[in-house]
């Protein structure tokens, strides 16, 4: 697949993008209006086609879609200027190369890969920078939190108390990370509290937990394949993915409070104002995803699983705006809101631009 920006036709009421290399996007009637109103753009990863997508608005106010190829793109984080991305065996830091108020071919952000680490295939999930400026990521294969290393595949930082030793065995399917306001890891999610190789698969329906990183205590249990914990406005939001429910953790009562049911397997969570932006996937037809409560909930509602993004009003649970991915895109992993960004793009390694795109830092004395 080539790395090329999506070309947009005139927009009818539901903002479609034309088929491109086996996939296309359809937005809700007001999707572009939602982006304009929130003054942001979106990015998401889809590992089944190995892409990172950037969704914004072109000068005419129509949907702009730009994509780059990074094999097995998964975890991602961005504040609009810096962007972290994990791929099959590498970890990347991108930096925006366009000065404030500038533009490049009609785009106001150009994310350039500046630093890459070879981590090996450790199945990196959620990512967030800590108070020391380090990228902290969930190392799912080794059941731990980790950061990058200049000399090794990774540096282990923390592991759940029930994990007896670091081993490349994906024992509990640790996957989600919520960074605290102090810049320190606060909560993580795991599919189970298993301490044997691949043991989490036996507990997909009700073995999911939220763990307090500081104390090591399980603060919420009974979940089905939870993902994407995030602290926002003093509340811990997360997905109970195996049931299709988005909600928050009532930590005092030790229970999950549903905000909205979503027609798909939930992964990826970011926020824009009063809205949560969630990622939806069509579950794989294998034992990992079969037999979950999500199947029965979809059947009861006369719905089929979708892939794409939904914008959920945190106060009402309504999801009036959405972006649907059709064709080859079946599974999303992560979602990022790019605040103050209208039309983003990025460089990859399959075209010539990266050879000719140069940026100079401020001079420093010897």
């Amino acid at each position: 697949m080539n790395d090329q920006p999506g070309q947009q036709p005139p927009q009818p009421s539901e903002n479609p993008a034309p088929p491109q290399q086996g996939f296309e996007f359809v937005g809700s009637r007001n999707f572009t209006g939602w982006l304009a109103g929130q003054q942001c753009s979106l990015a998401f990863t889809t590992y089944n086609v190995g892409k990172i997508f950037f969704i914004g608005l072109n000068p005419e106010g129509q949907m702009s879609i730009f994509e780059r190829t990074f094999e097995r793109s998964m975890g991602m984080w961005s504040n609009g200027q810096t962007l972290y991305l994990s791929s099959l065996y590498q970890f990347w830091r991108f930096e925006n190369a366009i000065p404030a108020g500038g533009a490049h071919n009609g785009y106001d952000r150009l994310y350039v890969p500046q630093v890459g680490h070879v981590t090996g295939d450790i199945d990196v999930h959620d990512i967030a920078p800590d108070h020391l400026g380090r990228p902290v990521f969930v190392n799912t294969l080794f059941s731990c939190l980790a950061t990058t290393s200049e000399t090794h595949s990774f540096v282990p930082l923390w592991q759940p108390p029930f994990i007896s030793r670091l081993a490349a065995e994906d024992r509990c399917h640790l996957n989600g990370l919520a960074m605290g306001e102090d810049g320190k890891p606060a909560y993580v999610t795991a599919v189970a509290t298993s301490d044997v190789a691949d043991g989490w698969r036996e507990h997909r329906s009700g073995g999911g937990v939220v763990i307090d990183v500081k104390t090591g205590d399980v603060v919420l249990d009974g979940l089905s394949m939870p993902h994407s914990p995030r602290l926002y406005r003093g509340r811990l939001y997360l997905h109970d993915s195996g049931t299709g429910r988005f909600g928050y953790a009532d930590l005092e009562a030790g229970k999950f409070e549903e905000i909205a049911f979503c027609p798909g397997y939930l992964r990826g969570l970011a926020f824009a104002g009063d809205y949560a932006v969630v990622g939806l996937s069509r579950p794989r037809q294998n034992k990992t995803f079969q037999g979950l409560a999500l199947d029965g909930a979809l059947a009861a509602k006369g719905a089929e699983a979708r892939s794409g993004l939904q914008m959920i009003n945190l106060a009402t649970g309504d999801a009036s705006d959405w972006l649907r991915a059709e064709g080859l895109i079946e599974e999303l992993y992560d979602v990022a809101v790019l605040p103050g960004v209208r039309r983003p793009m990025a460089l990859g390694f399959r075209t010539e631009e990266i050879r000719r795109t140069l940026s100079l830092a401020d001079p420093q004395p010897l």
Side-chain angles (χ1 to χ4, degrees):
M1 297 184 183
N2 294 324
D3 288 323
Q4 296 294 338
Q7 297 179 357
Q8 304 303 310
Q11 300 287 301
S13 61
E14 281 200 344
N15 306 316
Q20 180 188 10
Q21 303 167 342
F23 47 82
E24 60 181 312
F25 297 92
V26 178
S28 60
R29 183 182 298 271
N30 189 51
F31 176 69
T32 54
W34 186 90
L35 287 176
Q38 297 301 317
Q39 299 182 342
C40 70
S41 294
L42 304 174
F44 67 88
T45 56
T46 169
Y47 59 89
N48 78 289
V49 296
K51 298 281 187 181
I52 178 172
F53 286 91
F54 297 91
I55 312 296
L57 299 174
N58 67 19
E60 290 72 39
Q62 300 166 348
M63 183 165 51
S64 168
I65 299 174
F66 197 96
E67 49 92 0
R68 289 298 188 190
T69 298
F70 286 86
E71 189 175 5
R72 194 172 167 80
S73 301
M74 286 190 61
M76 176 179 56
W77 175 91
S78 182
N79 60 2
Q81 185 71 19
T82 299
L83 185 147
Y84 291 116
L85 175 70
S86 71
S87 59
L88 179 61
Y89 57 88
Q90 294 171 307
F91 185 96
W92 291 99
R93 192 191 82 222
F94 294 71
E95 294 291 340
N96 170 46
I98 300 177
H104 173 76
N105 295 335
Y107 294 85
D108 64 342
R109 290 293 190 281
L110 171 59
Y111 295 107
V112 179
Q114 295 288 357
V115 178
H117 292 269
V118 176
T119 61
D121 186 3
I122 58 175
D123 203 17
V124 172
H125 280 59
D126 285 6
I127 303 166
D130 70 2
H131 65 295
L132 300 175
R134 302 175 299 181
V136 177
F137 55 81
V138 179
N139 181 335
T140 300
L141 183 65
F142 280 84
S143 308
C144 70
L145 297 181
T147 190
T148 54
S149 170
E150 297 297 322
T151 55
H152 296 79
S153 297
F154 61 91
V155 180
L157 299 174
W158 176 90
Q159 67 199 64
F162 55 81
I163 296 296
S164 58
R165 68 181 183 90
L166 296 178
E169 296 178 346
D170 188 7
R171 296 182 173 190
C172 63
H173 205 67
L174 193 73
N175 57 48
L177 168 63
M179 193 66 75
E181 293 182 358
D182 59 358
K184 298 180 181 180
Y187 299 97
V188 295
T189 50
V191 174
T193 56
S194 170
D195 191 32
V196 297
D198 209 35
W200 61 272
R201 295 185 188 275
E202 301 165 9
H203 304 279
R204 297 171 299 119
S205 293
V209 295
V210 176
I211 305 167
D212 185 317
V213 172
K214 184 176 181 180
T215 66
D217 294 336
V218 171
V219 294
L220 185 62
D221 59 13
L223 301 171
S224 178
M225 300 186 74
H227 281 81
S228 310
R230 305 285 188 266
L231 284 166
Y232 184 67
R233 295 179 174 175
R235 182 172 276 180
L236 178 62
Y237 293 93
L238 71 153
H239 300 318
D240 193 29
S241 304
T243 67
R245 299 183 300 161
F246 162 69
Y248 64 92
D250 183 337
L251 296 176
E252 291 187 1
K255 63 180 182 178
F256 178 85
E257 295 288 351
E258 179 180 342
I259 294 176
F261 172 80
C262 299
Y265 188 84
L266 287 161
R267 275 182 305 218
L269 174 61
F271 298 92
D274 296 328
Y275 293 87
V277 183
V278 305
L280 299 176
S281 297
R282 294 193 287 271
R284 276 167 270 165
Q285 297 304 308
N286 61 22
K287 291 183 179 180
T288 299
F289 292 91
Q290 289 176 351
L292 298 175
L294 174 61
D295 296 338
L298 288 169
K301 295 177 181 294
E304 294 184 358
R306 305 171 184 172
S307 63
L309 304 176
Q310 282 196 175
M311 294 73 199
I312 299 175
N313 187 302
L314 292 172
T316 66
D318 293 342
S320 55
D321 291 302
W322 41 265
L323 179 70
R324 196 169 300 169
E326 305 286 357
L328 295 177
I329 299 175
E330 296 183 346
E331 294 189 43
L332 277 62
Y333 182 74
D334 219 346
V335 178
V337 168
L338 309 177
V341 179
R342 183 173 178 87
R343 194 183 187 198
M345 64 172 290
L347 296 186
F349 299 106
R350 297 193 173 191
T351 58
E352 293 293 310
E353 299 107 308
I354 198 163
R355 294 176 55 191
R356 303 188 300 270
T357 303
L358 306 174
S359 61
L360 277 66
D362 295 333
Q364 297 184 8
L366 289 173

